[in-house]
Amino acid sequence: MKSLLKNKNSTCCKDDPDNDTEPKDCLEKWEKEHKEECNIYTIEKATTDKNKEAYDNSLGWETKLKGWCELIETTDEKVKLVVTELDFLLEQVETVCTKSKCTYEVLEKLTCLVKTIFDCLYTYDDSAIGLKDKIEALKKLINCLKDITDKEKTDIIACIEAYEAKIKAICKCQEAVLSKLLETLKCATLLWAFICGELGLGYKLQGIKDVFSGIVHESDDEDCDSEDEEAAPSYPCNHKVVKPMPEFPIKADDSTEMSPKGNAYYVKVKTALKTAVDITKILKDKWIESQKISNKTLTKKNSLNDAIETAKALDTK
């Protein structure tokens, strides 16, 4: 075996026995082939590594896009839940508004009625003498009667004075009663205003729902022009331009994986994800194919290396 590998006159290792330029020594031939395969493998390995890097970068980008899409779609589902909850709250607000308005109207009528009752006790002008003054006048008229005895006058006046004491007691309650009624009326008014009035809770809830439902209301932009051209405008002069609101709804009801529909950002990310998936697959196939080629060359290179090592081991014996 040793003589066969080292015999330069042997033609067993020659592909073309008539070609004198080709090495006759098998070991020399294997070393030459090994060197060639090493060069080829270096080039193929570099190509494989480059394809692997391109695939890894594309896969990383695809993974990010998937995460963004999942976050967007999760947010969209939460937005729908928020809109459902807002619908429920708005129904409750409408009920509160109806009842609070009725309460306010009843309290207003009650306050006016009580005020009218108290007004009957006092004299504000000669044409409408109050009950207190009428009782005083009645007592004077009774004292002027001549057809009854003094005892009878005393008994009658005693009855009138008992009634007068009750009237005066009622008069003393006027401030306290009216104050409480007015305070209650004020609370009812504020309740209605804070919940049902302009810029109240109902208005704000409806505004939030409109934003999440994609309903846009026209509004005047803030005037950024300054009378003094050299003066710097206040920041931000238009917050909607500086920090735009997100667009809702995010995902349209008829949106599909192949044909995403919704706001511009969602469609852009979803389309980019589809492109990334396709490109990643192409790059993966390209990397795997180049890896097969480089692995094949590596196997051949290693086989030649083993053969050379074996031949050299035999040569030393």
Side-chain angles (χ1 to χ4, degrees):
M1 182 65 179
K2 175 181 176 182
S3 60
L4 179 66
L5 294 173
K6 299 296 293 181
N7 186 2
K8 296 182 178 296
N9 296 320
S10 174
T11 60
C12 66
C13 293
K14 295 180 66 176
D15 295 328
D16 185 5
D18 298 330
N19 188 358
D20 293 334
T21 61
E22 192 174 323
K24 298 179 180 180
D25 189 340
C26 289
L27 180 60
E28 184 180 346
K29 179 182 179 181
W30 291 344
E31 287 177 342
K32 180 181 178 181
E33 290 179 354
H34 179 263
K35 185 177 180 180
E36 291 174 353
E37 293 301 326
C38 285
N39 293 333
I40 294 172
Y41 176 71
T42 300
I43 296 172
E44 292 177 350
K45 181 66 166 59
T47 302
T48 300
D49 291 343
K50 182 180 178 181
N51 292 339
K52 177 66 164 58
E53 183 181 5
Y55 164 70
D56 288 340
N57 291 336
S58 182
L59 181 61
W61 176 239
E62 177 190 331
T63 302
K64 285 184 179 180
L65 289 171
K66 280 183 179 178
W68 291 343
C69 282
E70 289 175 0
L71 180 61
I72 292 170
E73 290 171 352
T74 300
T75 301
D76 186 59
E77 292 300 319
K78 290 183 177 180
V79 166
K80 291 178 180 177
L81 291 175
V82 170
V83 171
T84 301
E85 294 296 326
L86 286 172
D87 283 334
F88 173 76
L89 286 175
L90 285 169
E91 289 178 3
Q92 303 306 309
V93 166
E94 185 177 356
T95 301
V96 172
C97 289
T98 302
K99 293 185 179 299
S100 63
K101 184 177 181 181
C102 293
T103 302
Y104 167 78
E105 292 174 350
V106 170
L107 285 172
E108 186 179 38
K109 291 178 180 180
L110 178 61
T111 303
C112 292
L113 180 60
V114 173
K115 180 63 170 62
T116 302
I117 293 173
F118 280 115
D119 286 345
C120 292
L121 305 179
Y122 297 94
T123 300
Y124 296 102
D125 55 64
D126 294 337
S127 61
I129 301 174
L131 186 57
K132 284 178 64 179
D133 290 340
K134 287 181 178 181
I135 292 174
E136 287 291 337
L138 180 58
K139 288 166 60 178
K140 290 178 181 179
L141 288 174
I142 291 172
N143 284 323
C144 293
L145 292 176
K146 297 180 180 179
D147 296 335
I148 59 174
T149 63
D150 291 338
K151 183 178 182 307
E152 290 175 332
K153 289 180 183 181
T154 302
D155 291 340
I156 295 172
I157 290 175
C159 293
I160 294 174
E161 287 178 344
Y163 178 69
E164 183 182 23
K166 293 178 180 180
I167 295 299
K168 289 181 178 180
I170 293 173
C171 291
K172 289 180 180 180
C173 296
Q174 176 181 251
E175 183 177 355
V177 171
L178 289 179
S179 295
K180 294 296 182 182
L181 281 172
L182 290 173
E183 186 67 25
T184 305
L185 184 61
K186 176 184 175 182
C187 291
T189 304
L190 291 175
L191 175 65
W192 186 90
F194 288 149
I195 296 179
C196 316
E198 185 179 0
L199 302 180
L201 177 61
Y203 173 85
K204 293 177 180 178
L205 289 175
Q206 185 63 51
I208 296 173
K209 181 188 173 184
D210 290 346
V211 170
F212 286 155
S213 301
I215 300 174
V216 180
H217 297 283
E218 295 183 359
S219 59
D220 296 330
D221 292 334
E222 297 177 20
D223 187 6
C224 293
D225 297 332
S226 174
E227 294 180 359
D228 185 358
E229 295 181 357
E230 296 181 358
S234 59
Y235 178 85
C237 57
N238 189 339
H239 65 279
K240 292 182 180 179
V241 174
V242 177
K243 187 177 180 181
M245 286 288 293
E247 297 177 12
F248 296 101
I250 296 175
K251 181 180 177 182
D253 293 334
D254 57 346
S255 177
T256 62
E257 290 294 326
M258 299 302 297
S259 179
K261 296 179 182 179
N263 67 34
Y265 178 71
Y266 171 72
V267 173
K268 180 180 179 181
V269 174
K270 201 71 177 176
T271 303
L273 174 60
K274 184 177 180 300
T275 302
V277 170
D278 294 339
I279 293 176
T280 301
K281 186 178 183 305
I282 293 172
L283 292 175
K284 183 179 180 180
D285 293 340
K286 185 177 180 182
W287 164 56
I288 291 174
E289 187 62 29
S290 63
Q291 190 177 45
K292 288 179 180 178
I293 295 173
S294 62
N295 285 344
K296 184 178 180 181
T297 303
L298 177 62
T299 301
K300 187 175 181 181
K301 179 177 78 73
N302 290 338
S303 298
L304 286 169
N305 184 68
D306 292 341
I308 292 169
E309 293 295 328
T310 302
K312 286 182 178 179
L314 291 172
D315 189 39
T316 58
K317 294 181 180 180

